Amino acid sequence: MQQATLSEIGAGRTHDVINQSAPLVDVNLYQGNRALRDALVHHLGPSFDDRELQELGALAGSAHMQQHARLANVHTPELRTHDRQGRRIDQVEFHPSYHALMEAAIRHGLHAAAWVRPVHGHLLRAAGFMLFTELEPSVLCPVSMTYAATPALRANPALHAAWFPKLASTVYDPRFMPADRKSGVTMGMGMTEKQGGSDVRTNTTQAVYEQDTPWGRCYRLAGHKWFFSAPMCDAFLVLAQAPGGLSCFFLPRWLPDGTVNALHIQRLKDKLGNKANASSEVEFLGARAWLVGEEGRGVPQILEMGTHTRLDCALGTTGLMRHALALALHHTAQREAFGKPLIAHALMRNVLADLAVEVEAAIALALRLAHAFDAEGDAHEAAMRRVLTPVAKYWVCKRGSAFAQEAMECLGGNGYVEERGEGVMARIYREMPVNSIWEGAGNVMALDLLRALRKRTGQGADVVDALAAEWAAGRSADARIDRRAAQVLQRLEDGVEEVEARRLAQDVALVTQACLLRRHAPEPVFEAFCASRLDADWGQAFGTLPAASDFEGILARAMPV
C-alpha cells in the first residue's frame, strides 16, 4: 500500500483545538448566584432594591474587568525605596489594572458604605464584597482594612471628624500626597511583629509622648512591623508600647505640616497568593502617630477592628468558593469525556453537587453574620456577632483550601495551568489559604469562640442562650438538627476543654448552617446538607453525597449561567 505524503496529510498541522471550554466571562455574577439572591430575600424581603448588586455583578463578570484582574496579578507591585538621586521615597508602584480594580471597589462603596447607609448597610456590602471577590480578591485587602479601621477612629473624635468624610468618599485617589489635598483616602493596619505574630502583647515597638495637638496626643514611634499590608494607604492603625501599656495609634503617611512621615518600607513580601496586593515589612524611625482611645487599651481596639476584618475573611473565602464552583460547572458542562459531557457522569455530578451544597451553606452563614452587624443595640444580635464571627471565620476559611483543590480537579490539568494569569482556578487555589491565616488563624478563632461562650454581652444576654434561641426553629423543623444541636448544647453545659475547641467551632457552624438552609434553601440542598454533614452519611472528601440526593436539582440551581 502506498503511504500518504506529508503534503497530503497536512504538513505542519498536527491538531485542531477542540473540546475545550470557553472562558466564563461577560456573565452577571449576581444574577447567576441563586443562593446569594435567595439568602438576601430571606433577610430583606422580596421587594428589596438590588440594582446596585445587579450592576456590580455585571461589572465583576465582564471580560474587561477579568482582564484587569489577570494583569494586576501578572504585573505585581514593585517597591521603590529611593529615587535616582538617592532620596528616600518609600513608594510602591502598581500596574494600571490594580488602580482600575481599586476604583471599581471604592466606587461601589465596599470600603465604607456600611457606615453611611442607614439600613442593611453591612448586609448589602457583604453581598457586594463576595461578588467582587469573584473578580479579584487581592485588592480587597486595603478595602477591608478601611472598612474595619473607620469606626475605630471614633475613639479619637478629632481624628474621626478630620478623616471620616474622605474615608467615606467613593472617589479613589491613588496620588501620594497629603490627605487634605485628596478626594478620597484609604486606611491600613500594622499589628504583628516578627517575634510575636498573633501574640501582640509581645510587641516591642515603643511610643514616646511628644505633645498635644488638634488631633490629640502625639507620640514618636520606633520599631517595626513584620506584616504591613497595603503600605500605600494614606494612614494606618498600629500597635506600640506606651508608658501605660500596649496602645493603638493612628499613623499617617503624610503629616499635617505636609511632610512625609518616617515610615520606611524595608521590602515587599513574596507570598504564595494575594499577588496583586502589596504586603510589606516596615520600620518606624521616630514616626509621628496619634493615640486612639486610651493608653494600655490597644488590645480592645484591635478586637473591635478584628471583628470586621474576620467577617470579610469569611465573605472573601465564600466568594472564592462560589467562583471556583462556577468555573467547575461551566467547564464540565462543555468538556466531553467518554462520549458525553463531564457533568453528565454520575460521579462528577456527586462532586459538583457536594461543592454546590458547601457554597450555599457558606453563603448562608456569612450573610447571617453580616446581618447581625446591622442590628446595633439588639442584645441577641450582639451575642450572635460575638459567637458567629470566630465560627464563620474558622469553618468557612478552613473549608476553602480543600474546596479549591477539588474544584481544580474538575478541570484536570487545565485547571492547574496559569499561563500568565489566564488560569483563574490556579489563582483561586493559591489565594485560598490567606483568609484562614490572616486576622487570626484556626486556633485563635477556636479559642475566641470559647471566650465568647463564657461572656455576656453589654445588655446581659447570655451567649449560650442566644445560640439556643437561634437554633430553636431549626430544631423543631428537623430531627437531625435537633439531635446535633442538643449534643452541642449539652457539651457547652458540661464544659468544653481547649483541646476540643476546633470540633466545637465546626459543630456550631454546621448546626447554624442547617438552620439557615431550612429557612431559605430548596429541599434538595437542605436534604443533602443534613444527610451528609449532620447524619454522618458522608465520606472524608467532596463527592460523597448519598446516592439518593437530588443531584439534578442541586446542580440546576448552582449553574452560573
Side-chain angles (χ1 to χ4, degrees), residues 358-378:
E358 189 72 26
V359 168
E360 184 135 5
I363 290 173
L365 181 58
L367 287 188
R368 173 62 186 92
L369 176 56
H371 175 72
F373 280 79
D374 281 321
E376 286 292 333
D378 184 288

Side-chain angles (χ1 to χ4, degrees), residues 5 93 189 348 493:
T5 65
E93 293 183 343
M189 302 178 193
M348 179 62 80
E493 184 176 328

Side-chain angles (χ1 to χ4, degrees), residues 487-498:
Q487 292 169 1
V488 174
L489 293 172
Q490 184 61 52
R491 284 157 57 198
L492 293 175
E493 184 176 328
D494 296 340
V496 179
E497 299 295 326
E498 177 180 320

Side-chain angles (χ1 to χ4, degrees), residues 110 124-133 140 143-144 312 315-316:
L110 302 182
L124 290 170
R125 175 203 174 264
F129 194 92
M130 283 193 285
L131 290 173
F132 202 96
T133 300
L140 290 178
V143 169
S144 179
D312 281 359
L315 294 170

Side-chain angles (χ1 to χ4, degrees), residues 484 530-539:
R484 183 66 69 91
C530 289
S532 55
R533 276 71 167 171
L534 297 186
D535 241 4
D537 189 6
W538 199 35

Side-chain angles (χ1 to χ4, degrees), residues 99 111 225 228:
H99 296 299
H111 66 305
K225 294 300 170 188
F228 198 81

